[in-house]
Amino acid sequence: MIVLIPAYEPGDALLDLLRDLAATAPGTPVILVDDGSGPAYDAVFAEAASLGATVLGHVRNRGKGAALRTGLDHAAQAFPGDAVVTADADGQHTARDIVRVGQATAAAEASGDPAMVLGCREVDRPGNPLRSRIGNRAARAAFRASAGWSLSDTQTGLRGIPAVMLPWLRAQRGDRFEYEQNILLRCRRDGWRTLEVPIETVYLAGNASSHFRPIIDTLRVGMPLVLFAASSLASFALDAVLLLVFHAVTGALVPAIIAARVVSASVNFAVNRRVVFRGEARGPLLRQAGRYAALAAVLLATNVAWMSGLTALGLGLVPAKIATEAALFALGYLIQRRVVFSRTPAPAPLESAVNAPLMNGEGAATRMEIVTTRPRRNP
């Protein structure tokens, strides 16, 4: 296995981890990515290099996701065919747990059914820092709503990645904490298996070294769901207004429901494709439009049945509309994300280094600027 550690302004905990790794798993290659920590941390990375780590660096801070991709690119080139275990630099992952995750990853590969192995902490334990408990609970709720499956520790950076999965990981989007969340949100949908391995829960100094921001980064994680809710609310408002207008003009409930839904659904499809699922919507327009139309037809039939039933029971038109749309919201989101706007894998961005990194044990690391280039499109 290869151990990959992204680091931003690390402390002594990083060096302690490297020493423990050398004692626990001698000879294990370690790739350390300095994500623009600055000259004040040169001594830390120089010591890390002297301990045998391969040190890569960014001139400026680009985010954890960018640092992980830099390390994954190097791992794929320098150690082709090897699994990678990612770990954090803040002391929350022990060398023993890193090895355990690596062993579980290797066992899954050997079985012929490779999986991403997630080292999961008991994040709700009463003794854990309140900041971490609140952040993890919010992130888990957002993740469950967005992905449709539950994970006990959505914030864990300790992950075993089988070699066959590396090209897929390198193609995922996001430069900061959302990169790791995007991987979790999409992995099962794209056919990858996940396994959980319980690990020790370690918080040093109240988790002060963590760069995770509970509010901002949880919003990043749940942004697709927030955008979908906003789009659905706007579509609901348009649908409700048109329903009232068409019903007032025609006096017929079912035709008014159908006419209002056709108009609002067309607007909703355009907004969701261009704004809500823009990172996913790479498929042909006609295919996605056909899928959306099929979904809209099913939801419309359900809408008509529920609206007719509720109004027949004496419920007013507006309350019946609100109750129906609320019930269909979650179903519509999951089907659109997983089926209508399912992602077609695209080639991974190509990254090249302006300056080559300084490798194992050769002194202070030379930082490099990573220049991202993408394949040109034919005119």
Side-chain angles (χ1 to χ4, degrees), residues 232-233 236-237 239-240 243-244 261 303 306-307 310-311 315-329:
S232 298
L233 183 60
F236 163 75
D239 195 24
L243 172 61
L244 294 175
R261 179 51 59 92
N303 190 287
W306 285 24
M307 287 281 292
L310 291 175
T311 53
L315 192 63
L317 187 59
V318 173
K321 179 68 174 174
I322 294 174
T324 299
E325 294 298 337
L328 296 179
F329 170 80

Side-chain angles (χ1 to χ4, degrees), residues 69 116 143 146-149 159 165 168-174 178-194 220-221 224 276-282 333 337-338 341-346:
R69 274 198 302 272
M116 178 167 61
F143 176 82
S146 298
W149 59 283
R159 305 177 181 191
M165 197 175 179
W168 180 84
L169 254 75
R170 294 163 65 196
Q172 301 309 303
R173 295 187 174 191
E178 76 274 12
Y179 172 73
E180 291 182 301
Q181 294 300 318
N182 287 340
I183 289 171
L184 294 178
L185 288 169
R186 297 168 180 170
C187 64
R188 286 198 177 182
R189 184 204 61 196
D190 287 355
W192 298 106
R193 194 166 66 100
T194 62
R220 284 179 181 270
V221 172
V276 179
F277 300 105
R278 66 185 184 279
E280 317 291 331
R282 296 177 179 174
Y333 174 80
R337 184 179 185 92
R338 296 183 179 183
F341 299 107
S342 60
R343 180 177 180 271
T344 300

Side-chain angles (χ1 to χ4, degrees), residues 4-377:
L4 168 59
I5 305 175
Y8 176 62
E9 299 182 352
D12 292 337
L14 170 62
L15 300 178
D16 291 340
L17 174 60
L18 295 178
R19 296 186 186 100
D20 289 345
L21 270 173
T24 305
T28 299
V30 177
I31 300 172
L32 178 62
V33 182
D34 171 14
D35 187 29
S37 300
Y41 293 86
D42 281 350
V44 175
F45 290 103
E47 179 68 15
S50 72
L51 292 172
T54 295
V55 180
L56 311 179
H58 294 162
V59 171
R60 55 187 173 82
N61 177 254
R62 297 178 58 215
K64 188 178 183 182
L68 284 169
R69 274 198 302 272
T70 295
L72 291 172
D73 286 346
H74 180 76
Q77 295 172 13
F79 306 97
D82 284 2
V84 176
V85 176
T86 65
D88 291 341
D90 56 8
Q92 293 193 43
H93 302 140
T94 67
R96 175 175 170 272
D97 284 333
I98 290 173
V99 171
R100 289 179 62 235
V101 168
Q103 291 172 340
T105 305
E109 285 185 294
S111 72
D113 191 12
M116 178 167 61
V117 178
L118 305 171
C120 296
R121 303 158 294 174
E122 188 182 349
V123 294
D124 278 337
R125 195 170 61 184
N128 294 347
L130 180 61
R131 170 175 176 258
S132 295
R133 279 185 286 159
I134 293 175
N136 279 302
R137 286 175 183 174
R140 284 206 314 274
F143 176 82
R144 188 184 306 111
S146 298
W149 59 283
S150 297
L151 179 62
S152 62
D153 183 6
T154 64
Q155 301 305 312
T156 180
L158 181 53
R159 305 177 181 191
I161 314 298
V164 69
M165 197 175 179
L166 290 179
W168 180 84
L169 254 75
R170 294 163 65 196
Q172 301 309 303
R173 295 187 174 191
D175 283 341
R176 299 193 178 276
F177 283 101
E178 76 274 12
Y179 172 73
E180 291 182 301
Q181 294 300 318
N182 287 340
I183 289 171
L184 294 178
L185 288 169
R186 297 168 180 170
C187 64
R188 286 198 177 182
R189 184 204 61 196
D190 287 355
W192 298 106
R193 194 166 66 100
T194 62
L195 293 175
E196 290 191 28
V197 171
I199 63 172
E200 184 179 355
T201 304
V202 180
Y203 290 115
L204 302 178
N207 202 24
S209 62
S210 174
H211 296 285
F212 177 75
R213 300 158 297 178
I215 296 177
I216 295 176
D217 292 308
T218 297
L219 286 176
R220 284 179 181 270
V221 172
M223 189 53 67
L225 186 61
V226 172
L227 291 175
F228 182 80
S231 171
S232 298
L233 183 60
S235 177
F236 163 75
L238 176 62
D239 195 24
V241 170
L242 292 176
L243 172 61
L244 294 175
V245 172
F246 292 156
H247 186 256
V249 172
T250 65
L253 177 61
V254 173
I257 293 175
I258 294 174
R261 179 51 59 92
V262 168
V263 176
S264 64
S266 299
V267 174
N268 183 251
F269 171 77
V271 172
N272 285 356
R273 189 175 193 273
R274 296 182 63 87
V275 179
V276 179
F277 300 105
R278 66 185 184 279
E280 317 291 331
R282 296 177 179 174
L285 173 61
L286 292 180
R287 184 180 67 185
Q288 291 182 345
R291 291 175 177 176
Y292 185 89
L295 171 63
V298 172
L299 294 181
L300 175 60
T302 306
N303 190 287
V304 170
W306 285 24
M307 287 281 292
S308 299
L310 291 175
T311 53
L313 292 174
L315 192 63
L317 187 59
V318 173
K321 179 68 174 174
I322 294 174
T324 299
E325 294 298 337
L328 296 179
F329 170 80
L331 179 63
Y333 174 80
L334 291 176
I335 295 178
Q336 286 192 48
R337 184 179 185 92
R338 296 183 179 183
V339 179
V340 177
F341 299 107
S342 60
R343 180 177 180 271
T344 300
L350 303 177
E351 292 194 345
S352 59
V354 174
N355 301 310
L358 197 60
M359 297 301 176
N360 301 327
E362 298 180 18
T366 299
R367 291 184 178 83
M368 61 182 177
E369 181 67 68
I370 300 297
V371 180
T372 300
T373 59
R374 300 182 183 276
R376 292 185 178 181
R377 295 181 178 178

